[in-house]
Amino acid sequence: MSALLLSGREASAAILAALKPKIGKLDPKLVVVQVGDDPGSSSYIKQKIKSAAEVGMRSEHCHLASSMSLEELLSKVAELNADPDVTGFIVQLPLPDHLQPHVPEIIRAIDPKKDVDGFGAYNLGKVFLSKEFEHLPPATPAGIIMLLEYYKIPVAGKHVVIVGRSNIVGKPLAVMMLNRDATVTVCHSKTKNLSAITKQADILVAAIGKPKFITGDMVKPGAIVIDVGTSRVDGKLTGDVDFEVVQEIASAITPVPGGVGPMTVCSLIKNCVQAKERQMKDMQTNI
Ligand code: GUN
């Protein structure tokens, strides 16, 4: 039997439609900073700008030369922090090779009130302290939570196994799941006997970055499988899960594309609205 398809396109369309009146009222503006011409980044950014336009949100693609220095990029960040018309902004990753080692410094420079990716220490720290998303949660894990909520899939008491421990997906998602009463196991490149652990998962999240890494023999029959992978194989977007095989084993699965990707964009837009609401209430004293 084939698994239920967890469509991020459908879920994000419903969530964004409900958000549209608020966007009309608050008029937030999103800026996406791109340095250089990474083809993957160009395609994600196109999607972000298109989705913003579809819900009537103002957005701007700030495309900078790949030769830009760290100082120039930090000065752009400072300019966006100071611009009262900019509600939120992101610096699309990866950056060109000479800037990539400075990503922590660049993220640190972004005002937490405008950090709509939710990558900075303030917004990541808030994930620890609050189940509710009253801050700006990291976009991809928050999108996964919203997707499960949309499909009314409970997580309390479930064994959630996350493969991948990045600061922007695996780690914050583990905390979000814990906050929702799941039992969580986080696996990574040094984990021994990986498939013995993934096979215990009621909900299996693959955030590894290796195409088709999760094979059928790693999945428990009836599990829910969330694929965060976005590798390009022969120009085709490919997930971390061997979809064709695993869809016959799982009870529900996200496709790639059309699963987690649209939920990340949805979270980004939702964060922008939240940022504008907070800026209007002048919550500065809470930071
Ligand atoms: N690169 C891939 N996904 C993302 C994302 O969600 N935000 C940023 N800033 N860069 C990315």
Side-chain angles (χ1 to χ4, degrees), residues 201-239:
D202 301 313
I203 300 175
L204 178 60
V205 181
I208 311 139
K210 290 188 181 161
K212 300 192 180 190
F213 182 86
I214 301 291
T215 48
D217 57 329
M218 298 171 82
V219 179
K220 179 169 80 173
I224 289 149
V225 178
I226 309 290
D227 191 347
V228 187
T230 53
S231 303
R232 268 176 207 274
V233 179
D234 301 327
K236 193 169 164 269
L237 208 60
T238 307

PDB file of all heavy atoms in Angstrom, residues 201-239:
ATOM      1  N   ALA A 201      11.872   4.175  14.652  1.00  0.00           N
ATOM      2  CA  ALA A 201      11.187   5.470  14.574  1.00  0.00           C
ATOM      3  C   ALA A 201       9.716   5.331  14.210  1.00  0.00           C
ATOM      4  O   ALA A 201       9.370   4.663  13.234  1.00  0.00           O
ATOM      5  CB  ALA A 201      11.881   6.355  13.540  1.00  0.00           C
ATOM      6  N   ASP A 202       8.856   6.030  15.026  1.00  0.00           N
ATOM      7  CA  ASP A 202       7.470   6.222  14.585  1.00  0.00           C
ATOM      8  C   ASP A 202       7.444   7.361  13.568  1.00  0.00           C
ATOM      9  O   ASP A 202       6.665   7.354  12.630  1.00  0.00           O
ATOM     10  CB  ASP A 202       6.588   6.594  15.790  1.00  0.00           C
ATOM     11  CG  ASP A 202       6.619   5.532  16.877  1.00  0.00           C
ATOM     12  OD1 ASP A 202       6.468   4.344  16.527  1.00  0.00           O
ATOM     13  OD2 ASP A 202       6.814   5.887  18.057  1.00  0.00           O
ATOM     14  N   ILE A 203       8.302   8.363  13.837  1.00  0.00           N
ATOM     15  CA  ILE A 203       8.460   9.477  12.896  1.00  0.00           C
ATOM     16  C   ILE A 203       9.960   9.585  12.596  1.00  0.00           C
ATOM     17  O   ILE A 203      10.766   9.778  13.511  1.00  0.00           O
ATOM     18  CB  ILE A 203       7.933  10.806  13.493  1.00  0.00           C
ATOM     19  CG1 ILE A 203       6.433  10.677  13.834  1.00  0.00           C
ATOM     20  CG2 ILE A 203       8.186  11.967  12.544  1.00  0.00           C
ATOM     21  CD1 ILE A 203       5.835  11.894  14.545  1.00  0.00           C
ATOM     22  N   LEU A 204      10.309   9.432  11.347  1.00  0.00           N
ATOM     23  CA  LEU A 204      11.722   9.461  10.939  1.00  0.00           C
ATOM     24  C   LEU A 204      11.974  10.721  10.108  1.00  0.00           C
ATOM     25  O   LEU A 204      11.279  10.966   9.114  1.00  0.00           O
ATOM     26  CB  LEU A 204      12.042   8.211  10.109  1.00  0.00           C
ATOM     27  CG  LEU A 204      13.459   8.093   9.548  1.00  0.00           C
ATOM     28  CD1 LEU A 204      14.513   8.072  10.654  1.00  0.00           C
ATOM     29  CD2 LEU A 204      13.589   6.824   8.683  1.00  0.00           C
ATOM     30  N   VAL A 205      12.938  11.525  10.556  1.00  0.00           N
ATOM     31  CA  VAL A 205      13.257  12.762   9.838  1.00  0.00           C
ATOM     32  C   VAL A 205      14.665  12.617   9.256  1.00  0.00           C
ATOM     33  O   VAL A 205      15.630  12.374   9.992  1.00  0.00           O
ATOM     34  CB  VAL A 205      13.200  13.991  10.775  1.00  0.00           C
ATOM     35  CG1 VAL A 205      13.503  15.272  10.004  1.00  0.00           C
ATOM     36  CG2 VAL A 205      11.832  14.081  11.458  1.00  0.00           C
ATOM     37  N   ALA A 206      14.780  12.781   7.955  1.00  0.00           N
ATOM     38  CA  ALA A 206      16.066  12.653   7.276  1.00  0.00           C
ATOM     39  C   ALA A 206      16.568  14.036   6.885  1.00  0.00           C
ATOM     40  O   ALA A 206      15.981  14.701   6.028  1.00  0.00           O
ATOM     41  CB  ALA A 206      15.915  11.768   6.042  1.00  0.00           C
ATOM     42  N   ALA A 207      17.622  14.488   7.561  1.00  0.00           N
ATOM     43  CA  ALA A 207      18.197  15.814   7.265  1.00  0.00           C
ATOM     44  C   ALA A 207      19.709  15.657   7.190  1.00  0.00           C
ATOM     45  O   ALA A 207      20.455  16.188   8.008  1.00  0.00           O
ATOM     46  CB  ALA A 207      17.796  16.813   8.346  1.00  0.00           C
ATOM     47  N   ILE A 208      20.142  14.891   6.226  1.00  0.00           N
ATOM     48  CA  ILE A 208      21.540  14.470   6.121  1.00  0.00           C
ATOM     49  C   ILE A 208      22.253  15.204   4.991  1.00  0.00           C
ATOM     50  O   ILE A 208      23.415  15.580   5.106  1.00  0.00           O
ATOM     51  CB  ILE A 208      21.607  12.942   5.821  1.00  0.00           C
ATOM     52  CG1 ILE A 208      20.713  12.173   6.795  1.00  0.00           C
ATOM     53  CG2 ILE A 208      23.036  12.420   5.868  1.00  0.00           C
ATOM     54  CD1 ILE A 208      19.938  11.051   6.156  1.00  0.00           C
ATOM     55  N   GLY A 209      21.540  15.381   3.884  1.00  0.00           N
ATOM     56  CA  GLY A 209      22.155  16.004   2.717  1.00  0.00           C
ATOM     57  C   GLY A 209      22.828  14.999   1.797  1.00  0.00           C
ATOM     58  O   GLY A 209      23.705  15.353   1.015  1.00  0.00           O
ATOM     59  N   LYS A 210      22.412  13.709   1.931  1.00  0.00           N
ATOM     60  CA  LYS A 210      22.941  12.682   1.022  1.00  0.00           C
ATOM     61  C   LYS A 210      21.772  12.038   0.292  1.00  0.00           C
ATOM     62  O   LYS A 210      20.911  11.412   0.932  1.00  0.00           O
ATOM     63  CB  LYS A 210      23.700  11.615   1.818  1.00  0.00           C
ATOM     64  CG  LYS A 210      24.995  12.100   2.388  1.00  0.00           C
ATOM     65  CD  LYS A 210      25.775  10.959   2.988  1.00  0.00           C
ATOM     66  CE  LYS A 210      27.087  11.474   3.583  1.00  0.00           C
ATOM     67  NZ  LYS A 210      27.671  10.550   4.532  1.00  0.00           N
ATOM     68  N   PRO A 211      21.754  12.171  -1.039  1.00  0.00           N
ATOM     69  CA  PRO A 211      20.578  11.687  -1.781  1.00  0.00           C
ATOM     70  C   PRO A 211      20.305  10.199  -1.568  1.00  0.00           C
ATOM     71  O   PRO A 211      21.233   9.386  -1.610  1.00  0.00           O
ATOM     72  CB  PRO A 211      20.925  11.998  -3.243  1.00  0.00           C
ATOM     73  CG  PRO A 211      22.363  12.386  -3.268  1.00  0.00           C
ATOM     74  CD  PRO A 211      22.752  12.814  -1.889  1.00  0.00           C
ATOM     75  N   LYS A 212      19.035   9.879  -1.327  1.00  0.00           N
ATOM     76  CA  LYS A 212      18.528   8.493  -1.190  1.00  0.00           C
ATOM     77  C   LYS A 212      19.268   7.701  -0.115  1.00  0.00           C
ATOM     78  O   LYS A 212      19.422   6.475  -0.230  1.00  0.00           O
ATOM     79  CB  LYS A 212      18.589   7.764  -2.536  1.00  0.00           C
ATOM     80  CG  LYS A 212      17.745   8.447  -3.595  1.00  0.00           C
ATOM     81  CD  LYS A 212      17.580   7.598  -4.814  1.00  0.00           C
ATOM     82  CE  LYS A 212      16.734   8.331  -5.851  1.00  0.00           C
ATOM     83  NZ  LYS A 212      16.344   7.495  -6.959  1.00  0.00           N
ATOM     84  N   PHE A 213      19.744   8.392   0.934  1.00  0.00           N
ATOM     85  CA  PHE A 213      20.517   7.744   2.002  1.00  0.00           C
ATOM     86  C   PHE A 213      19.638   6.781   2.815  1.00  0.00           C
ATOM     87  O   PHE A 213      20.092   5.729   3.252  1.00  0.00           O
ATOM     88  CB  PHE A 213      21.096   8.840   2.910  1.00  0.00           C
ATOM     89  CG  PHE A 213      21.959   8.325   4.021  1.00  0.00           C
ATOM     90  CD1 PHE A 213      23.313   8.087   3.816  1.00  0.00           C
ATOM     91  CD2 PHE A 213      21.426   8.077   5.277  1.00  0.00           C
ATOM     92  CE1 PHE A 213      24.122   7.617   4.850  1.00  0.00           C
ATOM     93  CE2 PHE A 213      22.218   7.597   6.315  1.00  0.00           C
ATOM     94  CZ  PHE A 213      23.571   7.371   6.092  1.00  0.00           C
ATOM     95  N   ILE A 214      18.383   7.168   3.038  1.00  0.00           N
ATOM     96  CA  ILE A 214      17.475   6.329   3.833  1.00  0.00           C
ATOM     97  C   ILE A 214      16.816   5.321   2.888  1.00  0.00           C
ATOM     98  O   ILE A 214      15.978   5.669   2.047  1.00  0.00           O
ATOM     99  CB  ILE A 214      16.403   7.190   4.555  1.00  0.00           C
ATOM    100  CG1 ILE A 214      17.055   8.217   5.495  1.00  0.00           C
ATOM    101  CG2 ILE A 214      15.398   6.287   5.307  1.00  0.00           C
ATOM    102  CD1 ILE A 214      17.736   7.651   6.728  1.00  0.00           C
ATOM    103  N   THR A 215      17.187   4.062   3.087  1.00  0.00           N
ATOM    104  CA  THR A 215      16.685   2.998   2.212  1.00  0.00           C
ATOM    105  C   THR A 215      15.557   2.239   2.921  1.00  0.00           C
ATOM    106  O   THR A 215      15.339   2.410   4.125  1.00  0.00           O
ATOM    107  CB  THR A 215      17.837   2.047   1.853  1.00  0.00           C
ATOM    108  OG1 THR A 215      18.538   1.707   3.060  1.00  0.00           O
ATOM    109  CG2 THR A 215      18.816   2.700   0.904  1.00  0.00           C
ATOM    110  N   GLY A 216      14.882   1.404   2.172  1.00  0.00           N
ATOM    111  CA  GLY A 216      13.709   0.693   2.693  1.00  0.00           C
ATOM    112  C   GLY A 216      13.991  -0.105   3.955  1.00  0.00           C
ATOM    113  O   GLY A 216      13.157  -0.142   4.870  1.00  0.00           O
ATOM    114  N   ASP A 217      15.173  -0.713   4.034  1.00  0.00           N
ATOM    115  CA  ASP A 217      15.487  -1.562   5.199  1.00  0.00           C
ATOM    116  C   ASP A 217      15.773  -0.752   6.456  1.00  0.00           C
ATOM    117  O   ASP A 217      16.027  -1.317   7.522  1.00  0.00           O
ATOM    118  CB  ASP A 217      16.691  -2.465   4.873  1.00  0.00           C
ATOM    119  CG  ASP A 217      17.910  -1.652   4.472  1.00  0.00           C
ATOM    120  OD1 ASP A 217      17.732  -0.565   3.890  1.00  0.00           O
ATOM    121  OD2 ASP A 217      19.043  -2.085   4.747  1.00  0.00           O
ATOM    122  N   MET A 218      15.731   0.587   6.364  1.00  0.00           N
ATOM    123  CA  MET A 218      15.980   1.438   7.540  1.00  0.00           C
ATOM    124  C   MET A 218      14.679   1.971   8.141  1.00  0.00           C
ATOM    125  O   MET A 218      14.704   2.759   9.094  1.00  0.00           O
ATOM    126  CB  MET A 218      16.878   2.623   7.136  1.00  0.00           C
ATOM    127  CG  MET A 218      18.244   2.195   6.643  1.00  0.00           C
ATOM    128  SD  MET A 218      19.160   3.579   5.950  1.00  0.00           S
ATOM    129  CE  MET A 218      19.807   4.334   7.424  1.00  0.00           C
ATOM    130  N   VAL A 219      13.549   1.576   7.554  1.00  0.00           N
ATOM    131  CA  VAL A 219      12.267   2.185   7.927  1.00  0.00           C
ATOM    132  C   VAL A 219      11.311   1.126   8.475  1.00  0.00           C
ATOM    133  O   VAL A 219      11.138   0.061   7.868  1.00  0.00           O
ATOM    134  CB  VAL A 219      11.635   2.893   6.701  1.00  0.00           C
ATOM    135  CG1 VAL A 219      10.288   3.526   7.058  1.00  0.00           C
ATOM    136  CG2 VAL A 219      12.586   3.947   6.136  1.00  0.00           C
ATOM    137  N   LYS A 220      10.684   1.465   9.616  1.00  0.00           N
ATOM    138  CA  LYS A 220       9.693   0.559  10.210  1.00  0.00           C
ATOM    139  C   LYS A 220       8.392   0.637   9.405  1.00  0.00           C
ATOM    140  O   LYS A 220       7.949   1.746   9.065  1.00  0.00           O
ATOM    141  CB  LYS A 220       9.437   1.003  11.661  1.00  0.00           C
ATOM    142  CG  LYS A 220       8.404   0.176  12.405  1.00  0.00           C
ATOM    143  CD  LYS A 220       8.398   0.500  13.885  1.00  0.00           C
ATOM    144  CE  LYS A 220       7.633   1.773  14.195  1.00  0.00           C
ATOM    145  NZ  LYS A 220       7.496   2.000  15.642  1.00  0.00           N
ATOM    146  N   PRO A 221       7.747  -0.499   9.117  1.00  0.00           N
ATOM    147  CA  PRO A 221       6.463  -0.427   8.408  1.00  0.00           C
ATOM    148  C   PRO A 221       5.474   0.473   9.157  1.00  0.00           C
ATOM    149  O   PRO A 221       5.340   0.370  10.371  1.00  0.00           O
ATOM    150  CB  PRO A 221       5.997  -1.892   8.392  1.00  0.00           C
ATOM    151  CG  PRO A 221       7.260  -2.695   8.472  1.00  0.00           C
ATOM    152  CD  PRO A 221       8.195  -1.888   9.332  1.00  0.00           C
ATOM    153  N   GLY A 222       4.847   1.382   8.422  1.00  0.00           N
ATOM    154  CA  GLY A 222       3.850   2.279   9.028  1.00  0.00           C
ATOM    155  C   GLY A 222       4.430   3.575   9.569  1.00  0.00           C
ATOM    156  O   GLY A 222       3.694   4.446  10.046  1.00  0.00           O
ATOM    157  N   ALA A 223       5.763   3.747   9.500  1.00  0.00           N
ATOM    158  CA  ALA A 223       6.379   4.980  10.024  1.00  0.00           C
ATOM    159  C   ALA A 223       5.967   6.193   9.177  1.00  0.00           C
ATOM    160  O   ALA A 223       5.541   6.056   8.021  1.00  0.00           O
ATOM    161  CB  ALA A 223       7.904   4.835  10.002  1.00  0.00           C
ATOM    162  N   ILE A 224       6.112   7.367   9.805  1.00  0.00           N
ATOM    163  CA  ILE A 224       5.911   8.630   9.078  1.00  0.00           C
ATOM    164  C   ILE A 224       7.304   9.154   8.728  1.00  0.00           C
ATOM    165  O   ILE A 224       8.166   9.240   9.620  1.00  0.00           O
ATOM    166  CB  ILE A 224       5.118   9.617   9.952  1.00  0.00           C
ATOM    167  CG1 ILE A 224       3.662   9.117  10.044  1.00  0.00           C
ATOM    168  CG2 ILE A 224       5.162  11.027   9.407  1.00  0.00           C
ATOM    169  CD1 ILE A 224       2.983   9.446  11.313  1.00  0.00           C
ATOM    170  N   VAL A 225       7.516   9.464   7.470  1.00  0.00           N
ATOM    171  CA  VAL A 225       8.873   9.814   7.016  1.00  0.00           C
ATOM    172  C   VAL A 225       8.893  11.252   6.470  1.00  0.00           C
ATOM    173  O   VAL A 225       8.106  11.596   5.580  1.00  0.00           O
ATOM    174  CB  VAL A 225       9.358   8.811   5.945  1.00  0.00           C
ATOM    175  CG1 VAL A 225      10.752   9.189   5.442  1.00  0.00           C
ATOM    176  CG2 VAL A 225       9.383   7.391   6.514  1.00  0.00           C
ATOM    177  N   ILE A 226       9.768  12.056   7.055  1.00  0.00           N
ATOM    178  CA  ILE A 226       9.913  13.468   6.657  1.00  0.00           C
ATOM    179  C   ILE A 226      11.288  13.634   6.017  1.00  0.00           C
ATOM    180  O   ILE A 226      12.312  13.400   6.663  1.00  0.00           O
ATOM    181  CB  ILE A 226       9.808  14.410   7.889  1.00  0.00           C
ATOM    182  CG1 ILE A 226       8.552  14.122   8.720  1.00  0.00           C
ATOM    183  CG2 ILE A 226       9.902  15.866   7.476  1.00  0.00           C
ATOM    184  CD1 ILE A 226       7.246  14.494   8.080  1.00  0.00           C
ATOM    185  N   ASP A 227      11.292  14.073   4.778  1.00  0.00           N
ATOM    186  CA  ASP A 227      12.535  14.180   4.003  1.00  0.00           C
ATOM    187  C   ASP A 227      12.926  15.648   3.835  1.00  0.00           C
ATOM    188  O   ASP A 227      12.234  16.413   3.149  1.00  0.00           O
ATOM    189  CB  ASP A 227      12.298  13.520   2.633  1.00  0.00           C
ATOM    190  CG  ASP A 227      13.591  13.339   1.846  1.00  0.00           C
ATOM    191  OD1 ASP A 227      14.609  13.931   2.230  1.00  0.00           O
ATOM    192  OD2 ASP A 227      13.553  12.601   0.842  1.00  0.00           O
ATOM    193  N   VAL A 228      14.038  16.036   4.464  1.00  0.00           N
ATOM    194  CA  VAL A 228      14.481  17.432   4.406  1.00  0.00           C
ATOM    195  C   VAL A 228      15.528  17.634   3.295  1.00  0.00           C
ATOM    196  O   VAL A 228      15.929  18.742   2.990  1.00  0.00           O
ATOM    197  CB  VAL A 228      15.047  17.872   5.792  1.00  0.00           C
ATOM    198  CG1 VAL A 228      15.365  19.356   5.828  1.00  0.00           C
ATOM    199  CG2 VAL A 228      14.072  17.545   6.917  1.00  0.00           C
ATOM    200  N   GLY A 229      15.957  16.551   2.672  1.00  0.00           N
ATOM    201  CA  GLY A 229      17.047  16.615   1.689  1.00  0.00           C
ATOM    202  C   GLY A 229      16.690  17.408   0.441  1.00  0.00           C
ATOM    203  O   GLY A 229      15.555  17.371  -0.026  1.00  0.00           O
ATOM    204  N   THR A 230      17.686  18.119  -0.077  1.00  0.00           N
ATOM    205  CA  THR A 230      17.490  18.870  -1.328  1.00  0.00           C
ATOM    206  C   THR A 230      18.769  18.811  -2.157  1.00  0.00           C
ATOM    207  O   THR A 230      19.318  19.846  -2.529  1.00  0.00           O
ATOM    208  CB  THR A 230      17.139  20.355  -1.068  1.00  0.00           C
ATOM    209  OG1 THR A 230      18.141  20.895  -0.188  1.00  0.00           O
ATOM    210  CG2 THR A 230      15.772  20.541  -0.468  1.00  0.00           C
ATOM    211  N   SER A 231      19.244  17.594  -2.419  1.00  0.00           N
ATOM    212  CA  SER A 231      20.440  17.476  -3.259  1.00  0.00           C
ATOM    213  C   SER A 231      20.026  17.555  -4.727  1.00  0.00           C
ATOM    214  O   SER A 231      18.882  17.234  -5.074  1.00  0.00           O
ATOM    215  CB  SER A 231      21.119  16.126  -3.020  1.00  0.00           C
ATOM    216  OG  SER A 231      21.438  15.976  -1.670  1.00  0.00           O
ATOM    217  N   ARG A 232      20.976  17.985  -5.542  1.00  0.00           N
ATOM    218  CA  ARG A 232      20.709  17.981  -6.986  1.00  0.00           C
ATOM    219  C   ARG A 232      21.452  16.821  -7.624  1.00  0.00           C
ATOM    220  O   ARG A 232      22.663  16.718  -7.517  1.00  0.00           O
ATOM    221  CB  ARG A 232      21.148  19.294  -7.620  1.00  0.00           C
ATOM    222  CG  ARG A 232      19.983  20.234  -7.615  1.00  0.00           C
ATOM    223  CD  ARG A 232      20.225  21.608  -8.108  1.00  0.00           C
ATOM    224  NE  ARG A 232      19.259  22.458  -7.435  1.00  0.00           N
ATOM    225  CZ  ARG A 232      18.028  22.678  -7.864  1.00  0.00           C
ATOM    226  NH1 ARG A 232      17.601  22.142  -8.992  1.00  0.00           N
ATOM    227  NH2 ARG A 232      17.193  23.425  -7.173  1.00  0.00           N
ATOM    228  N   VAL A 233      20.689  15.926  -8.237  1.00  0.00           N
ATOM    229  CA  VAL A 233      21.292  14.772  -8.911  1.00  0.00           C
ATOM    230  C   VAL A 233      20.866  14.862 -10.379  1.00  0.00           C
ATOM    231  O   VAL A 233      19.659  14.815 -10.683  1.00  0.00           O
ATOM    232  CB  VAL A 233      20.806  13.445  -8.285  1.00  0.00           C
ATOM    233  CG1 VAL A 233      21.420  12.256  -9.013  1.00  0.00           C
ATOM    234  CG2 VAL A 233      21.142  13.382  -6.799  1.00  0.00           C
ATOM    235  N   ASP A 234      21.848  15.013 -11.260  1.00  0.00           N
ATOM    236  CA  ASP A 234      21.578  15.212 -12.701  1.00  0.00           C
ATOM    237  C   ASP A 234      20.550  16.335 -12.913  1.00  0.00           C
ATOM    238  O   ASP A 234      19.614  16.200 -13.707  1.00  0.00           O
ATOM    239  CB  ASP A 234      21.064  13.907 -13.338  1.00  0.00           C
ATOM    240  CG  ASP A 234      22.074  12.770 -13.182  1.00  0.00           C
ATOM    241  OD1 ASP A 234      23.283  13.061 -13.190  1.00  0.00           O
ATOM    242  OD2 ASP A 234      21.640  11.607 -13.027  1.00  0.00           O
ATOM    243  N   GLY A 235      20.723  17.412 -12.146  1.00  0.00           N
ATOM    244  CA  GLY A 235      19.845  18.577 -12.293  1.00  0.00           C
ATOM    245  C   GLY A 235      18.480  18.404 -11.646  1.00  0.00           C
ATOM    246  O   GLY A 235      17.651  19.319 -11.688  1.00  0.00           O
ATOM    247  N   LYS A 236      18.233  17.259 -11.020  1.00  0.00           N
ATOM    248  CA  LYS A 236      16.909  16.986 -10.436  1.00  0.00           C
ATOM    249  C   LYS A 236      17.011  17.060  -8.916  1.00  0.00           C
ATOM    250  O   LYS A 236      17.925  16.487  -8.322  1.00  0.00           O
ATOM    251  CB  LYS A 236      16.475  15.579 -10.876  1.00  0.00           C
ATOM    252  CG  LYS A 236      15.038  15.280 -10.630  1.00  0.00           C
ATOM    253  CD  LYS A 236      14.653  13.968 -11.344  1.00  0.00           C
ATOM    254  CE  LYS A 236      13.338  13.426 -10.817  1.00  0.00           C
ATOM    255  NZ  LYS A 236      13.478  12.518  -9.705  1.00  0.00           N
ATOM    256  N   LEU A 237      16.059  17.773  -8.300  1.00  0.00           N
ATOM    257  CA  LEU A 237      16.023  17.871  -6.840  1.00  0.00           C
ATOM    258  C   LEU A 237      15.727  16.496  -6.251  1.00  0.00           C
ATOM    259  O   LEU A 237      14.720  15.868  -6.599  1.00  0.00           O
ATOM    260  CB  LEU A 237      14.932  18.870  -6.438  1.00  0.00           C
ATOM    261  CG  LEU A 237      15.133  19.607  -5.113  1.00  0.00           C
ATOM    262  CD1 LEU A 237      16.409  20.429  -5.124  1.00  0.00           C
ATOM    263  CD2 LEU A 237      13.942  20.510  -4.837  1.00  0.00           C
ATOM    264  N   THR A 238      16.613  16.019  -5.372  1.00  0.00           N
ATOM    265  CA  THR A 238      16.488  14.656  -4.830  1.00  0.00           C
ATOM    266  C   THR A 238      16.596  14.694  -3.313  1.00  0.00           C
ATOM    267  O   THR A 238      17.479  15.347  -2.762  1.00  0.00           O
ATOM    268  CB  THR A 238      17.613  13.756  -5.417  1.00  0.00           C
ATOM    269  OG1 THR A 238      17.572  13.866  -6.848  1.00  0.00           O
ATOM    270  CG2 THR A 238      17.434  12.300  -5.018  1.00  0.00           C
ATOM    271  N   GLY A 239      15.698  13.972  -2.656  1.00  0.00           N
ATOM    272  CA  GLY A 239      15.681  13.952  -1.196  1.00  0.00           C
ATOM    273  C   GLY A 239      16.682  12.976  -0.606  1.00  0.00           C
ATOM    274  O   GLY A 239      17.413  12.282  -1.322  1.00  0.00           O
TER     275      GLY A 239
END
